Amino acid sequence: MRIVMTIVGLDKVGIIAKASALLAENQVNILNINQNITDTFFNMVLIGDMEKATISLEELKKKAAALGDELGLQIRVQSEEIFTAMHRI
């Protein structure tokens, strides 16, 4: 299963490192990262592969949200199917 992780908030050092570490610790392979910074506003969309993950999607969602709280950011994880369906018009 592929996932979409979105991160939104004020830019600061280490956002990508901490998000990547969370995924690596749980064997989620990063397939693609797209990041934009406008003034001080950070926006990132990451595609990951959970084929060899050692964590469930629900648990990853909780850990990502907790990391977001720690960093003062909004971090969401969704299955790619749900993300695509939500953004199809």
Side-chain angles (χ1 to χ4, degrees), residues 29-49:
N29 190 32
I30 296 172
L31 302 175
N32 192 355
I33 296 176
N34 185 353
Q35 167 205 328
N36 292 303
I37 300 172
T38 304
D39 294 323
T40 59
F41 197 69
F42 180 91
N43 184 18
M44 186 180 91
V45 177
L46 178 152
I47 307 295
D49 182 0

Side-chain angles (χ1 to χ4, degrees), residues 54-72:
T54 56
I55 190 171
S56 71
L57 177 58
E58 293 305 314
E59 191 61 29
L60 182 59
K61 287 178 180 181
K62 291 177 187 173
K63 287 188 174 192
L67 178 61
D69 289 344
E70 175 187 322
L71 298 174

Side-chain angles (χ1 to χ4, degrees), residues 5-22 35 37 40-44 46 67-68 71-75:
M5 173 184 273
T6 56
I7 302 177
V8 177
L10 294 178
D11 189 30
K12 60 181 75 173
V13 174
I15 295 171
I16 295 173
K18 290 187 178 184
S20 298
L22 171 64
Q35 167 205 328
I37 300 172
T40 59
F41 197 69
F42 180 91
N43 184 18
M44 186 180 91
L46 178 152
L67 178 61
L71 298 174
L73 302 164
Q74 181 183 40
I75 302 180

Side-chain angles (χ1 to χ4, degrees), residues 75-88:
I75 302 180
R76 291 179 140 182
V77 177
Q78 299 172 293
S79 74
E80 185 179 42
E81 290 177 357
I82 298 294
F83 182 85
T84 300
M86 289 176 57
H87 295 88
R88 184 180 320 144

